[in-house]
Amino acid sequence: MSKLSFTIAYASGEDIEYPARELNTHSPHTRGWQSARFCEFPQEIGLALTRPARLTQVQLLSHQSKIATRIELYVGDGPSYEQANWRRLGYLSLDNNKRSEYQARELKSVYIDCQGAYLKLLVHRCYVNKHNIFNQVGIVATNLLGEFLGGGSQEGLDPNHPLGGSLPPPTIGGGAGVGGGAGARGGVMDDLAFDMNLDPATAERIRQIVASKERAVEMEDYDAAKRLKAAEGELCGLGVQLAQLEVAKRQAVQSEDYDRAKML
């Protein structure tokens, strides 16, 4: 199971400052998609895979206060997103986030087994809270895991099955730091948390080091593998710190605290 590349094929609406194309990239700087103010529900977001694939996991990172009550998942196949034949996989429910006082973001990991070229998200009405005065919903990031293939029949879950009911407890994280759900089934570097916690350059460098470490193990060069493992750990630590500094700097600029931004 590996990360599947995709692009946004359709959005029924968006906030001009948080367009759906933000979901095409994963990094600590990703702003994500938000619906238009006082929009009608449900909102629809369409993802087009670069080619047909077997999907085994979907990860969704919700906004901390602009939270949908539930999200339905559909998989589709066809010549285009508009002409796709859809199959409903089920739905997942999100927490209202009162416990964290709307400071944390909920990461949902859904395990599925289906084939298709498109994924449709129907995002239902929002939870009402004092931080969401325009009744919006928001998704910060979406990650798809599985294997690319040439096509085939679809297999999946009961379409009336609540996906959230079969999931492990959702992981809650604050700010740019989020917990992952891919674990052993997808690998740390395929998990959404990996890219959301590291700047893109560091994430790519770590992937290169891990690939070199695996080659060293195959060649039974264990001294080299040990050195690469140490470099991997050190770079992970530095990368997280760098990403946190970049996020803090951006927040300082947005709040016009230029003295703090200069220090960072």
Side-chain angles (χ1 to χ4, degrees):
M1 184 168 66
S2 60
K3 204 164 190 165
L4 301 175
S5 55
F6 64 85
T7 57
I8 296 300
Y10 177 78
S12 58
E14 60 188 19
D15 187 307
I16 191 171
E17 295 185 1
Y18 300 90
R21 66 174 179 272
E22 281 285 312
L23 297 176
N24 288 330
T25 57
H26 298 156
S27 81
H29 313 298
T30 299
R31 293 178 297 169
W33 164 82
Q34 291 182 19
S35 66
R37 298 178 177 184
F38 301 115
C39 65
E40 294 184 356
F41 293 105
Q43 290 285 293
E44 179 179 340
I45 297 293
L47 283 60
L49 293 160
T50 53
R51 63 180 187 273
R54 178 189 176 195
L55 285 163
T56 53
Q57 186 178 358
V58 177
Q59 292 183 304
L60 296 173
L61 181 62
S62 172
H63 189 273
Q64 64 270 21
S65 60
K66 299 172 182 179
I67 308 163
T69 51
R70 90 176 183 175
I71 300 175
E72 292 182 74
L73 301 182
Y74 293 78
V75 66
D77 240 326
S80 67
Y81 182 83
E82 292 76 13
Q83 297 176 292
N85 295 313
W86 297 101
R87 181 181 180 188
R88 186 176 184 270
L89 299 176
Y91 67 89
L92 58 91
S93 300
L94 296 169
D95 187 79
N96 61 21
N97 215 14
K98 287 182 180 179
R99 290 174 297 175
S100 75
E101 297 183 350
Y102 310 103
Q103 298 300 309
R105 295 169 175 172
E106 182 176 3
L107 176 61
K108 278 282 194 179
S109 291
V110 180
Y111 294 101
I112 57 179
D113 185 7
C114 61
Q115 295 180 11
Y118 306 100
L119 187 73
K120 177 164 62 177
L121 309 178
L122 285 188
V123 187
H124 288 261
R125 64 180 178 83
C126 64
Y127 284 109
V128 177
N129 62 69
K130 63 181 181 181
H131 302 285
N132 189 13
I133 60 176
F134 300 117
N135 291 345
Q136 293 171 279
V137 288
I139 297 175
V140 178
T142 301
N143 191 34
L144 305 181
L145 298 172
E147 298 175 348
F148 283 119
L149 43 79
S153 61
Q154 294 185 6
E155 296 179 291
L157 299 173
D158 181 343
N160 295 315
H161 183 67
L163 294 174
S166 64
L167 296 175
T171 303
I172 302 293
V178 296
R185 296 184 67 172
V188 173
M189 291 182 297
D190 293 327
D191 195 281
L192 182 58
F194 182 80
D195 286 313
M196 296 301 290
N197 278 309
L198 296 167
D199 69 280
T202 302
E204 180 58 29
R205 182 56 181 154
I206 291 172
R207 287 188 171 98
Q208 293 172 356
I209 289 175
V210 170
S212 297
K213 181 182 68 176
E214 291 174 350
R215 286 195 296 270
V217 171
E218 289 176 0
M219 298 173 63
E220 298 186 3
D221 187 351
Y222 301 121
D223 289 334
K226 183 178 179 179
R227 291 194 299 270
L228 289 165
K229 180 181 178 181
E232 176 191 349
E234 183 176 351
L235 194 55
C236 280
L238 292 174
V240 169
Q241 293 178 33
L242 178 61
Q244 290 173 343
L245 286 172
E246 287 293 333
V247 170
K249 183 176 182 178
R250 185 180 64 185
Q251 291 174 342
V253 171
Q254 290 175 346
S255 61
E256 298 185 355
D257 187 350
Y258 301 120
D259 289 333
R260 176 170 171 74
K262 186 176 179 180
M263 290 175 60
L264 295 170

